[in-house]
Amino acid sequence: MTSQIQDLLATDQDLLLMQEGTMMRKVRTKSWKKLRYFRLQNDGMTVWHGSQPESMPKPTFSISDVERIRKGQDSELLRYLVEEFPLEQGFTVVFHGRRPNLDLVANSVEEAQIWMRGLQLLVDLVASMDHQEQLDQMLHEWFQQADRNQDGRMSFSEAQRLLLLMNVEMDEEYAFSLFQEADVTQSDDLGSKEFVQFYKALTKRTEIEEIFEDFSSDKQKLTLLEFVDFLRKEQKEKDHAPDLALELIDRYEPSENGRLLHVLSKDGFLKYLCSKDGNIFNSDCLPIYQDMTQPLSHYYINSSHNTYLVGDQLCGQSSVEGYIRALKRGCRCVEVDTWDGPDGEPVVYHGHTLTSRILFKDVLATLAQYAFQSSDYPLILSLENHCTWEQQRTMAHHLTEILGEQLLRNTLEGLLIDSMPSPEQLRGKILVKGKKLRTIEVDKEEEEEEELEKDEGPDLDPASPELETQPQPETQGQAAGNKKQKKKFLLLSSTTIMCPDLSALVVYLRTVPFCSFTHSKENYHIYDISSFSESKAKNLIKEAGNEFVQHNARQLCRVYPSGLRTDSSNFNPQEHWNVGCQMVAMNMQTAGSAMDICDGLFRQNGGSGYVLKPEFLRDPQSSFNPERPISLYKAQMLVVQVISGQQLPKVDKTKETTVVDPLVKVELYGVPEDTMEQETSHVENNGINPYWGETFYFRLQVPELAMLRFVVKDYSRKSRNNFIGQYTLPWTCMKQGYRHVSLLSRDGTSLHPASIFVYTCMQEDLDMDEP
């Protein structure tokens, strides 16, 4: 693949022009628009920029960081500047993760097309690389970096500098011995092929060779029976180990003769352990593998809070990009806060704050385009309506006109709602969650009970002080006095009345206030949904955990972050999942452990945004209480041995001589009894192949709810340890045995080839501190 890139760089006309460089306007905001000189570097993998062609350039982005290239017409920012710059001359570089987009405007349509075609060509090429091709490309880039005089050879002094770039500080004598071994031409420098041998010597996996030799009688190969023995004893593959062994040999043994003889060499064994089949995440859990025909209330649903915000809750920017990013992450419940806007057009923003405003119809156009790109299972639009009657009518019009057939407007097949539909039945549909008018057709007893509540649903904007408290019941006298006035219209506030056109679009997800679990059970229907602030939900979990579980087996609920989280920080969703809360809304723009846990849970089941809850959280008669879990089975012991690390990135790439001192923290999240963490010691000055070999024991009471998180950090004696990478997964998706853990960045993007090598297994709990 390296040669393919080099061939393209020499022959593709677009790439040739990009290597010459182009003056383009970099657009950050409506007012910040500056000319910059952009140039594709000779490696074909990085773009640099400077203020002028002759100025000192600096790195702008790597091709591997780019997700896609968008046309100027699809840029929210460039559309605002359409009178200043023709959209055809603009384009957007969209990055993986949370990195802000890069909007650029070329001097002509032709120049814009050259960069759009060229960048997309390289992005597609990188995306198509397999593991070996990625490794070849990385080695090529390292060789180019180390070869400072560009003579195609690497001296020992250049190799020493490269070791620091590769994140390892090595004894000079030992490094020189490896260098001499690789220098087969004895020329005192290395060519590109010799450098590959030098790299292999640097990254030799002695810990894997030891495992191999433990099962190999001749220390050279694993026979079919020996490999089956390994798969059964260590990888816990059990009954299908013989068939699996044949598949894996055929897939990973590089020698054709070895494949014919059904034996596995050391190289084949290493390839297997470094592949998706040797990954800790069970590949069987990656596609849709769960039953998707159960009621919506039986699933955890990937949910977002204040989705329109890409910054903080007070002054942050509102943008349709917030919806695009959330949907790309597999989000299936987005929030839309609507307020009266100018010219009769409703706007979306965080009310009573300085956050910017976007048009409601632009949000809907974005949802129509992106709703089902990552998942075709239903999208829930959580509507927080603060508009007057007239603008509510406009909202209803936009919903029906812009979303069209995607919008669910009636119950399935026009049937009465006697059970909630399933994700499977609602594929490709957008459901509106919101308040709904009550009419005289509603059961009288239900109407009387519901009208005992002031209509200030706790799922409204938590930043509004008047909405911080939970609604209190009116007296029976007040209810009777209000009943005649409220028989037709549901009051949103003292001055705002619900518009029937908008009310009619709420079909299965009617928002209702919460009083108590008893009240909900006696008065609400399966399609009624209440929302809770994180603090209210926490209190209910402690006070009435089992009732909360039973409530969530019958009805949907939503939990949102405290209004005090003005920095858009997140709470741990795990404790709310423990009682079966379906929609735990996260500030998806904010990276951190809470979002890692959320992403970890929803990585499974095809990234559909729906994960089936454990059976004991789907039973309305369940006796389960996470605060006092009576073990469904006998408690088990999870054993985690952290063995080694591979190709860990630098914390600060600008500091060439700084090398990490890595350690690994193993965190377990679940019911309170199961939540704990343990940490290895640190390894000094080695990010390329650190070895720990430390074993931890975790007692698991309710493994079905457990989430396992590996965090690699750079040890610091003077300050807090710095984050290097992490990976989080559900216990239910964990493969036992010797496995590699592929590390992700703080934003959840791949840090390939960075990984850690671990051993995990489950044992019976012997009621001891350690088995």
Side-chain angles (χ1 to χ4, degrees):
M1 183 64 75
T2 298
S3 61
Q4 188 175 348
I5 289 178
Q6 295 308 310
D7 290 345
L8 282 170
L9 290 171
T11 58
D12 185 271
Q13 289 302 309
D14 292 334
L15 298 184
L16 286 167
L17 289 168
M18 289 164 64
Q19 290 174 79
E20 291 178 10
T22 309
M23 288 295 292
M24 292 189 283
R25 201 169 294 274
K26 181 179 178 181
V27 184
R28 282 186 182 168
T29 65
K30 295 174 188 176
S31 58
W32 197 102
K33 300 156 285 193
K34 297 191 178 180
L35 281 170
R36 293 289 184 263
Y37 184 75
F38 288 86
R39 190 169 89 81
L40 176 67
Q41 297 301 290
N42 295 333
D43 61 2
M45 294 299 294
T46 50
V47 173
W48 290 49
H49 81 274
S51 56
Q52 296 293 331
E54 64 277 2
S55 64
M56 181 67 71
K58 58 183 180 180
T60 306
F61 59 86
S62 168
I63 297 297
S64 59
D65 294 334
V66 179
E67 181 189 309
R68 70 179 73 173
I69 308 300
R70 281 194 210 143
K71 297 183 295 184
Q73 291 89 332
D74 294 331
S75 166
E76 183 180 23
L77 179 55
L78 295 182
R79 283 200 302 268
Y80 278 115
L81 301 171
V82 65
E83 293 183 3
E84 197 171 343
F85 306 114
L87 289 175
E88 295 79 9
Q89 289 177 211
F91 62 95
T92 303
V93 181
V94 181
F95 298 100
H96 294 291
R98 295 176 178 84
R99 180 173 174 177
N101 295 344
L102 174 62
D103 285 301
L104 297 172
V105 179
N107 290 317
S108 68
V109 174
E110 184 183 3
E111 281 186 356
Q113 291 293 325
I114 286 169
W115 276 86
M116 289 172 67
R117 286 193 303 262
L119 288 173
Q120 194 62 59
L121 174 66
L122 293 173
V123 169
D124 292 341
L125 201 59
V126 169
S128 68
M129 288 182 181
D130 61 23
H131 176 79
Q132 186 58 48
E133 288 168 337
Q134 288 175 333
L135 178 60
D136 291 345
Q137 180 63 34
M138 181 184 70
L139 293 177
H140 174 76
E141 289 174 22
W142 270 341
F143 187 83
Q144 292 296 317
Q145 279 183 282
D147 183 16
R148 302 193 82 164
N149 61 5
Q150 297 296 298
D151 65 350
R153 309 289 296 179
M154 183 188 297
S155 65
F156 180 63
S157 61
E158 288 176 327
Q160 285 180 296
R161 175 176 170 268
L162 178 63
L163 290 175
L164 295 176
L165 290 174
M166 294 171 72
N167 211 4
V168 62
E169 190 173 292
M170 189 175 287
D171 174 74
E172 185 174 340
E173 188 176 332
Y174 177 60
F176 188 62
S177 69
L178 296 181
F179 185 88
Q180 285 184 311
E181 284 178 26
D183 181 18
V184 292
T185 59
Q186 297 183 340
S187 58
D188 294 330
D189 54 22
L190 305 180
S192 57
K193 289 184 179 179
E194 291 171 315
F195 169 65
V196 171
Q197 297 308 310
F198 178 60
Y199 169 81
K200 285 183 177 179
L202 282 173
T203 57
K204 187 176 181 181
R205 300 290 300 275
T206 54
E207 76 278 26
I208 288 182
E209 288 189 5
E210 288 173 8
I211 299 166
F212 180 89
E213 291 173 3
D214 282 346
F215 285 85
S216 170
S217 55
D218 67 0
K219 313 301 181 188
Q220 298 300 313
K221 65 182 182 301
L222 289 174
T223 65
L224 181 59
L225 288 177
E226 287 170 341
F227 190 35
V228 167
D229 190 35
F230 168 77
L231 293 175
R232 278 183 172 149
K233 286 183 178 176
E234 303 295 359
Q235 308 300 76
K236 314 300 179 188
E237 298 292 358
K238 300 181 182 175
D239 295 340
H240 71 300
D243 291 337
L244 180 62
L246 286 168
E247 285 178 31
L248 295 176
I249 289 172
D250 194 49
R251 195 174 296 157
Y252 299 113
E253 173 51 44
S255 158
E256 184 178 354
N257 192 46
R259 293 195 297 273
L260 289 171
L261 296 173
H262 302 314
V263 297
L264 194 64
S265 63
K266 283 184 182 180
D267 284 346
F269 187 65
L270 178 61
K271 280 186 72 176
Y272 152 62
L273 286 176
C274 291
S275 73
K276 62 181 178 62
D277 290 301
N279 196 278
I280 194 168
F281 195 97
N282 188 344
S283 58
D284 291 343
C285 298
L286 288 173
I288 299 287
Y289 73 100
Q290 295 181 329
D291 177 6
M292 301 298 280
T293 64
Q294 299 200 27
L296 282 179
S297 55
H298 286 189
Y299 297 84
Y300 296 120
I301 303 173
N302 196 349
S303 303
S304 164
H305 172 249
N306 288 357
T307 317
Y308 46 88
L309 288 178
V310 292
D312 65 52
Q313 307 283 312
L314 294 180
C315 305
Q317 179 190 358
S318 301
S319 170
V320 296
E321 199 62 42
Y323 292 94
I324 296 172
R325 291 178 188 174
L327 293 170
K328 284 196 303 187
R329 298 182 83 90
C331 178
R332 293 289 86 193
C333 176
V334 297
E335 186 174 12
V336 185
D337 286 358
T338 58
W339 301 79
D340 281 1
D343 304 320
E345 284 293 344
V347 293
V348 175
Y349 80 110
H350 200 199
H352 311 301
T353 68
L354 298 177
T355 56
S356 61
R357 307 176 183 206
I358 51 177
L359 291 174
F360 177 66
K361 62 182 181 182
D362 287 350
V363 170
L364 295 185
T366 301
L367 296 183
Q369 182 178 353
Y370 290 94
F372 302 107
Q373 286 192 8
S374 296
S375 167
D376 60 357
Y377 285 95
L379 175 68
I380 296 168
L381 196 161
S382 182
L383 197 58
E384 303 298 346
N385 172 23
H386 307 275
C387 290
T388 54
W389 176 290
E390 284 304 318
Q391 294 214 8
Q392 287 181 53
R393 287 186 64 185
T394 304
M395 287 171 59
H397 173 77
H398 288 334
L399 281 162
T400 53
E401 290 299 311
I402 296 173
L403 299 183
E405 291 299 312
Q406 293 177 322
L407 181 67
L408 185 78
R409 300 182 62 179
N410 299 293
T411 58
L412 296 178
E413 299 177 355
L415 300 175
L416 293 173
I417 306 176
D418 56 355
S419 64
M420 283 295 278
S422 68
E424 185 63 37
Q425 290 174 299
L426 295 168
R427 286 176 85 148
K429 290 296 181 184
I430 297 175
L431 284 67
V432 175
K433 166 189 164 293
K435 288 185 163 59
K436 189 172 177 67
L437 284 169
R438 290 184 297 272
T439 66
I440 55 174
E441 284 77 26
V442 175
D443 180 84
K444 292 287 184 183
E445 184 178 343
E446 174 205 344
E447 188 176 9
E448 289 171 6
E449 290 291 342
E450 287 181 357
E451 288 178 0
L452 292 176
E453 305 304 321
K454 287 182 180 177
D455 187 34
E456 293 180 356
D459 65 328
L460 293 181
D461 187 346
S464 305
E466 68 271 23
L467 299 177
E468 285 293 333
T469 57
Q470 295 296 319
Q472 299 298 317
E474 298 173 345
T475 65
Q476 291 289 344
Q478 287 173 312
N482 288 339
K483 184 174 176 182
K484 290 180 182 178
Q485 298 174 30
K486 291 187 180 179
K487 185 163 288 187
K488 184 65 179 174
F489 300 121
L490 181 64
L491 295 177
L492 290 178
S493 67
S494 58
T495 58
T496 307
I497 299 176
M498 185 89 189
C499 170
D501 292 356
L502 188 58
S503 169
L505 301 181
V506 178
V507 180
Y508 285 111
L509 301 169
R510 180 177 69 171
T511 299
V512 294
F514 176 81
C515 293
S516 69
F517 291 124
T518 301
H519 176 270
S520 295
K521 188 174 182 179
E522 293 176 353
N523 296 279
Y524 290 155
H525 292 286
I526 53 172
Y527 52 80
D528 289 329
I529 173 171
S530 298
S531 290
F532 307 87
S533 69
E534 60 174 287
S535 54
K536 176 68 175 177
K538 275 186 181 181
N539 290 336
L540 288 171
I541 291 167
K542 288 180 179 157
E543 295 166 6
N546 177 243
E547 286 184 87
F548 213 164
V549 168
Q550 294 181 355
H551 172 89
N552 290 329
R554 287 190 309 272
Q555 295 172 224
L556 286 156
C557 91
R558 178 175 177 270
V559 181
Y560 59 83
S562 164
L564 299 175
R565 294 185 182 273
T566 56
D567 59 351
S568 294
S569 59
N570 280 305
F571 57 96
N572 185 350
Q574 183 68 52
E575 56 191 316
H576 306 287
W577 292 335
N578 289 343
V579 290
C581 295
Q582 297 89 347
M583 291 186 270
V584 183
M586 308 295 288
N587 287 313
M588 291 191 168
Q589 71 270 41
T590 306
S593 61
M595 271 310 303
D596 293 341
I597 293 166
C598 183
D599 289 341
L601 177 72
F602 290 105
R603 187 166 287 118
Q604 63 183 305
N605 209 31
S608 63
Y610 286 84
V611 170
L612 190 64
K613 297 192 290 186
E615 189 175 357
F616 56 84
L617 293 179
R618 308 195 305 261
D619 178 7
Q621 309 302 319
S622 175
S623 60
F624 179 73
N625 183 346
E627 296 296 303
R628 294 177 292 280
I630 302 168
S631 184
L632 306 169
Y633 317 102
K634 186 176 179 182
Q636 300 177 67
M637 189 69 73
L638 168 62
V639 181
V640 179
Q641 183 185 19
V642 180
I643 302 171
S644 62
Q646 297 78 42
Q647 307 289 331
L648 305 180
K650 287 176 176 284
V651 172
D652 186 348
K653 293 182 180 179
T654 63
K655 297 181 179 177
E656 284 190 8
T657 59
T658 303
V659 175
V660 297
D661 302 329
L663 59 84
V664 180
K665 183 186 284 189
V666 183
E667 302 171 350
L668 196 68
Y669 298 91
V671 298
E673 270 187 40
D674 292 347
T675 301
M676 63 195 86
E677 61 183 45
Q678 299 189 58
E679 186 176 285
T680 68
S681 55
H682 69 277
V683 175
E684 288 194 359
N685 296 325
N686 190 346
I688 196 168
N689 58 357
Y691 180 84
W692 295 282
E694 298 183 38
T695 305
F696 305 122
Y697 301 89
F698 299 90
R699 189 172 184 271
L700 267 179
Q701 191 79 16
V702 190
E704 297 88 342
L705 290 174
M707 298 288 296
L708 185 61
R709 182 170 184 253
F710 297 91
V711 193
V712 183
K713 296 196 171 186
D714 181 16
Y715 172 75
S716 173
R717 293 173 181 82
K718 297 179 181 178
S719 61
R720 180 184 296 180
N721 297 337
N722 290 310
F723 176 92
I724 294 176
Q726 69 83 32
Y727 192 80
T728 308
L729 75 162
W731 174 87
T732 53
C733 299
M734 182 193 78
K735 292 282 277 185
Q736 297 185 63
Y738 290 101
R739 304 287 172 181
H740 279 91
V741 180
S742 303
L743 294 179
L744 303 175
S745 71
R746 194 182 297 277
D747 273 346
T749 57
S750 171
L751 289 174
H752 182 84
S755 65
I756 57 174
F757 186 49
V758 302
Y759 176 81
T760 65
C761 70
M762 297 300 297
Q763 298 178 353
E764 285 190 15
D765 179 20
L766 303 178
D767 294 321
M768 298 167 60
D769 289 340
E770 294 186 2

